Amino acid sequence: MGNSPQRLPIVERDEWLLPVERQLAARHEAYLSELRRIAASGRSLTDYANGYRHFGWQYDPALGGWWLREWLPGAHDVFLTGDFNGWQRTSLRLDRSPDGVWSIFLPDALYADRLTHGSLYKIHVHGDNGWLDRIPAYATRVVQDERTKNFTAQFWNPAPFDWRGDRPADVRGRDLLIYEAHIGMAQEREGVSGYAEFAERILPRIRQAGYTAVQLMGIAEHPYYGSFGYHVANFFAPSSRFGTPEELKELVRRAHELGLAVIMDLVHAHYVRNLNEGINELDGTDRLYSLPGEAGEQPYWDSKTFDYGKEQVRHFLLSNIKYWLDEFHFDGFRFDGVSSMLYRHHGHTEFDSREKYFDAAVDLEAIRYLTLANRLVHEFRPEAVTIAEEVSGMPGIAVPAEEGGIGFDYRLAMAQPDFWIRLLKEVPDEQWDIHAIWQVLTDRLPGIGTVAYAESHDQALVGDQTLAFRLMGSRMYDSMDRKTQNPVIDRGMALHKMIRLATIAAGGDAYLNFMGNEFGHPEWIDFPRAGNGWSYAHARRQWSLADDASLRYAFLAAFDREMLSLVERYGVLRDGYPYCLQMDAERQTMAFSHGDLLFVFNWSPSASLPEYEVRVQAPGCYRPLLSTDEPRFGGTGRASMQGRHFSRPAEEDELPRIRIYNTSRTAAVFLRED
């Protein structure tokens, strides 16, 4: 009798997956098969992902000149044109190799004085779609003409950046507290901020606020600013509207000096359909980076999808990952739109059965690519982290590849912000169900790294509202000064703090916040567009609101700082699941613990309860550490922070109890001391 195949650890740990064990094994084998194929060529995965060192402009010291290479298998003819040859479109012809790679060599003897740092260029491609001037896929610098608004590739050959002394932040050695940020809208003035300004003015704010990582959105070049960076055109070019590549590198180095990790928001789920700026139909066909026809469309986002089953496309995307890690020293990635990648319906269905994770709608090639991508990140930069923006709950998404998973370190808890918004929109305060709150915050599998968050940039966009604005509305414009008393503001301030503390304390293993939301930024995000007269009024952050001691925004910012400090100091995120101690639905009070910390949440809008008994996990003296109702955070200070609460002995199987003043709309944290 032969030995039965070894069961994958992912299945051993989760009996729910036993009926689909064969499918999971097949997915894992497809990943291993690709690794074997790469290894057979004598390369590691890290060496394989070196497309950025072969394509595009590459200097050949032996020949003394520059090569330009581009993969365009469907093109009939390709020429190089630029300011160095007077934009003559057909004077510099590229040669085609059997594998569809076109190349040209420009010797220094002829071009050293013409092809210089900053030269503008394009490729002139003859394909099935005609003769078009295009930007190469491997262009590392793309700039926009202020007058014509057209984008053009730029030959970028500065002095090598000096990375000496750079020490990447220890992402894995401390709590992952992520500050999601957008470079362009990080300034207070109406306009576009840049890498240098962000490094000088915003990074110190993020560090002072207590975050350990900054997640940068909109880094890869995108023609339409209002896309938030999600319609990428040039995957190897940092957006020039924010500055130069060297200024981005300096930003990363400065963040590392401050102890901040830098995570890039990576868009490999789709790309812009523009022909003038992007890679769509770059060789004249509709099947270069995409599947042909409708299969290559992302209809919900008006964009194009990648063909992950094509080896050259995987090579392009894997090389892109290594490029950002290698050239810019990023500390990891938040992969955008993973659900769209995983399914041919792009996640637009109800995931109400196990079969939907394994039926014909699943893109197995995308799963193989994502597994390879995670393997590459961790192989090349072991300390880096990967985060999946994935809404479906695909089994194995945050399980290591060697255990049969896809290999992400974390997944975003996307149900959490949706729940908070729905609760605020649809349910009166006095009817809030604490069991529903607990269920949403703790609904995750053991060992699956989860990024908890109450709101991100998604909830701040036009068409939605931030938690602060949903709670306080237009009263924020006239009643946020400390002298004005307003019940709407009082309610909003209290719940803003409680929702955040509940989310970070019970919702996951890491935490995320979008810039400005920590202090209740009142404005939504609306990038310049025709509908708003191309205004920047809502594409900025008003930091002065939090800096003004006469306004209540400073209270929210102070609470956020203290909350993060407490969470990190006592290892709340590293403690795993919270331990549920008490669910008092009648009084809308919930209590749970993390180690020696006791968390008590009274969600009731009106019921303050003296001598309220709370179960505790262990006997001892419980000292208050933090309360959302403290005056230093804009609260009323109804409960003393100086008291000590001694536990009463347990009776039979009961847990010990303490008595507290359980004030309404308040969350309090206590520390057990022997």
Side-chain angles (χ1 to χ4, degrees):
M1 244 179 105
N3 294 327
S4 59
Q6 186 175 0
R7 178 162 285 164
L8 291 171
I10 186 177
V11 178
E12 289 182 342
R13 288 199 306 267
D14 190 351
E15 291 185 357
W16 187 76
L17 294 174
L18 280 172
V20 292
E21 181 177 9
R22 290 180 62 185
Q23 291 95 315
L24 285 166
R27 293 179 185 184
H28 187 61
E29 176 55 31
Y31 153 71
L32 294 177
S33 176
E34 181 68 358
L35 287 180
R36 289 194 294 268
R37 186 190 68 80
I38 293 170
S41 67
R43 294 173 293 176
S44 66
L45 182 60
T46 299
D47 292 332
Y48 172 75
N50 276 340
Y52 64 99
R53 295 181 177 178
H54 176 75
F55 291 101
W57 289 106
Q58 305 294 337
Y59 190 73
D60 188 332
L63 296 179
W66 289 90
W67 286 98
L68 177 69
R69 301 184 186 95
E70 190 75 14
W71 177 61
L72 302 165
H76 307 314
D77 233 337
V78 183
F79 297 87
L80 174 64
T81 180
D83 54 13
F84 50 86
N85 76 338
W87 293 102
Q88 297 179 47
R89 281 188 169 87
T90 57
S91 65
L92 295 173
R93 189 178 212 154
L94 278 68
D95 296 318
R96 188 190 194 282
S97 68
D99 58 358
V101 175
W102 295 76
S103 63
I104 189 172
F105 179 72
L106 301 185
D108 289 341
L110 296 177
Y111 289 94
D113 296 331
R114 288 189 278 171
L115 181 65
T116 58
H117 176 58
S119 291
L120 300 176
Y121 73 96
K122 286 189 174 183
I123 51 176
H124 189 54
V125 182
H126 180 206
D128 292 347
N129 57 0
W131 289 87
L132 296 173
D133 291 338
R134 303 299 302 270
I135 295 172
Y138 281 86
T140 58
R141 171 81 168 161
V142 176
V143 294
Q144 186 176 25
D145 185 279
E146 286 296 321
R147 183 179 59 84
T148 66
K149 303 303 180 185
N150 291 330
F151 285 83
T152 307
Q154 191 170 31
F155 178 76
W156 200 249
N157 184 36
F161 187 81
D162 186 1
W163 283 108
R164 286 179 300 179
D166 181 57
R167 294 289 183 271
D170 184 7
V171 188
R172 297 180 178 276
R174 59 184 306 191
D175 287 342
L176 187 59
L177 304 169
I178 306 169
Y179 200 83
E180 185 182 43
H182 184 277
I183 297 290
M185 61 175 290
Q187 80 298 324
E188 183 143 357
R189 59 180 168 78
E190 295 188 23
V192 179
S193 180
Y195 301 123
E197 185 176 3
F198 189 93
E200 178 185 354
R201 299 184 181 181
I202 309 305
L203 285 179
R205 282 186 175 274
I206 297 171
R207 186 67 192 95
Q208 185 180 19
Y211 290 85
T212 61
V214 55
Q215 178 178 297
L216 297 180
M217 308 170 64
I219 294 300
E221 191 62 84
H222 46 288
Y224 178 45
Y225 188 44
S227 76
F228 229 126
Y230 289 122
H231 276 191
V232 174
N234 315 109
F235 284 81
F236 291 84
S239 179
S240 60
R241 60 171 56 86
F242 307 140
T244 67
E246 286 62 48
E247 287 172 325
L248 174 57
K249 293 176 182 179
E250 188 58 48
L251 183 161
V252 174
R253 179 164 62 183
R254 177 59 181 145
H256 290 165
E257 290 173 354
L258 292 170
L260 291 168
V262 187
I263 297 168
M264 179 179 171
D265 204 333
L266 189 74
V267 184
H268 280 186
H270 62 134
Y271 60 92
V272 74
R273 60 191 317 125
N274 302 31
L275 297 187
N276 289 332
E277 294 89 8
I279 61 175
N280 188 21
E281 298 185 19
L282 191 57
D283 70 343
T285 73
D286 68 347
R287 60 198 68 196
L288 180 63
Y289 287 98
S290 296
L291 288 166
E294 291 185 5
E297 303 284 336
Q298 218 302 0
Y300 306 102
W301 298 342
D302 188 32
S303 56
K304 301 288 292 184
T305 59
F306 285 102
D307 178 3
Y308 304 105
K310 188 179 289 185
E311 191 273 331
Q312 295 91 337
V313 174
R314 292 196 302 273
H315 182 246
F316 173 82
L317 294 173
L318 291 169
S319 297
N320 188 240
I321 285 173
K322 187 185 172 188
Y323 169 76
W324 293 111
L325 292 172
D326 186 20
E327 295 292 319
F328 291 87
H329 288 205
F330 279 104
D331 301 294
F333 302 100
R334 179 259 201 191
F335 281 68
D336 176 70
V338 171
S339 299
S340 176
M341 301 170 73
L342 292 175
Y343 308 96
R344 302 191 194 284
H345 51 56
H346 307 297
H348 284 256
T349 187
E350 290 294 325
F351 289 93
D352 49 10
S353 69
R354 175 177 45 223
E355 287 65 37
K356 288 193 174 181
Y357 300 112
F358 298 93
D359 62 18
V362 176
D363 189 337
L364 298 176
E365 300 290 2
I367 289 177
R368 177 170 61 167
Y369 164 67
L370 288 169
T371 312
L372 290 166
N374 280 290
R375 167 70 176 259
L376 172 64
V377 172
H378 297 126
E379 185 178 287
F380 182 68
R381 188 70 57 78
E383 68 275 15
V385 297
T386 57
I387 303 166
E389 188 212 26
E390 208 286 295
V391 70
S392 77
M394 169 63 77
I397 193 73
V399 172
E402 57 269 23
E403 297 179 14
I406 297 175
F408 285 97
D409 296 303
Y410 298 93
R411 60 174 291 272
L412 288 174
M414 299 181 71
Q416 293 175 6
D418 292 343
F419 171 79
W420 290 122
I421 294 296
R422 188 169 61 253
L423 195 65
L424 291 171
K425 284 174 63 175
E426 301 174 1
V427 184
D429 294 10
E430 61 272 13
Q431 295 179 20
W432 281 20
D433 183 347
I434 60 171
H435 291 281
I437 294 173
W438 182 257
Q439 168 65 23
V440 168
L441 292 180
T442 60
D443 186 17
R444 58 187 186 275
L445 291 173
I448 302 301
T450 302
V451 179
Y453 64 113
E455 55 182 337
S456 68
H457 71 276
D458 286 329
Q459 287 72 43
L461 293 167
V462 167
D464 208 334
Q465 295 176 5
T466 62
L467 285 177
F469 199 81
R470 193 172 293 281
L471 285 163
M472 295 177 275
S474 61
R475 293 264 68 106
M476 297 188 77
Y477 297 124
D478 57 26
S479 302
M480 283 295 280
D481 62 284
R482 298 191 183 190
K483 294 180 180 179
T484 300
Q485 297 300 312
N486 185 292
V488 173
I489 297 298
D490 291 342
R491 169 184 178 266
M493 294 276 293
L495 290 177
H496 194 273
K497 291 175 283 186
M498 291 183 71
I499 288 171
R500 279 173 153 65
L501 182 59
T503 302
I504 195 172
D509 314 279
Y511 179 73
L512 177 141
N513 165 69
F514 180 67
M515 65 175 182
N517 285 355
E518 72 278 8
F519 64 81
H521 198 285
E523 302 289 0
W524 57 90
I525 300 169
D526 190 9
F527 282 96
R529 56 187 173 86
N532 65 14
W534 301 102
S535 169
Y536 287 89
H538 297 291
R540 61 195 181 109
R541 297 286 89 177
Q542 299 180 62
W543 306 104
S544 59
L545 296 173
D547 296 339
D548 190 338
S550 69
L551 298 177
R552 295 173 187 253
Y553 298 100
F555 287 142
L556 296 178
F559 176 78
D560 199 73
R561 280 195 301 274
E562 196 62 32
M563 177 184 77
L564 298 184
S565 175
L566 180 145
V567 164
E568 190 168 23
R569 187 163 66 250
Y570 292 98
V572 171
L573 293 172
R574 297 187 293 276
D575 190 50
Y577 281 101
Y579 185 90
C580 184
L581 292 163
Q582 191 158 312
M583 297 294 281
D584 185 347
E586 182 181 352
R587 297 171 180 82
Q588 290 182 282
T589 294
M590 57 198 293
F592 58 87
S593 64
H594 275 291
D596 288 331
L597 293 185
L598 168 68
F599 294 79
V600 182
F601 287 78
N602 181 347
W603 298 98
S604 170
S606 57
S608 294
L609 307 166
E611 295 297 301
Y612 182 79
E613 287 197 344
V614 181
R615 294 184 181 91
V616 293
Q617 199 169 359
C621 170
Y622 286 78
R623 175 171 60 88
L625 285 182
L626 179 71
S627 170
T628 58
D629 196 43
E630 290 183 64
R632 60 179 174 148
F633 306 134
T636 60
R638 288 167 290 169
S640 171
M641 297 298 292
Q642 305 305 316
R644 296 292 185 273
H645 307 272
F646 293 89
S647 64
R648 299 186 173 195
E651 297 181 6
E652 297 179 359
D653 295 332
E654 282 287 321
L655 290 170
R657 301 177 181 224
I658 62 171
R659 287 180 176 176
I660 64 170
Y661 183 21
N662 185 21
T663 56
S664 61
R665 277 200 188 119
T666 301
V669 187
F670 302 84
L671 174 65
R672 187 185 75 85
E673 298 174 335
D674 294 326

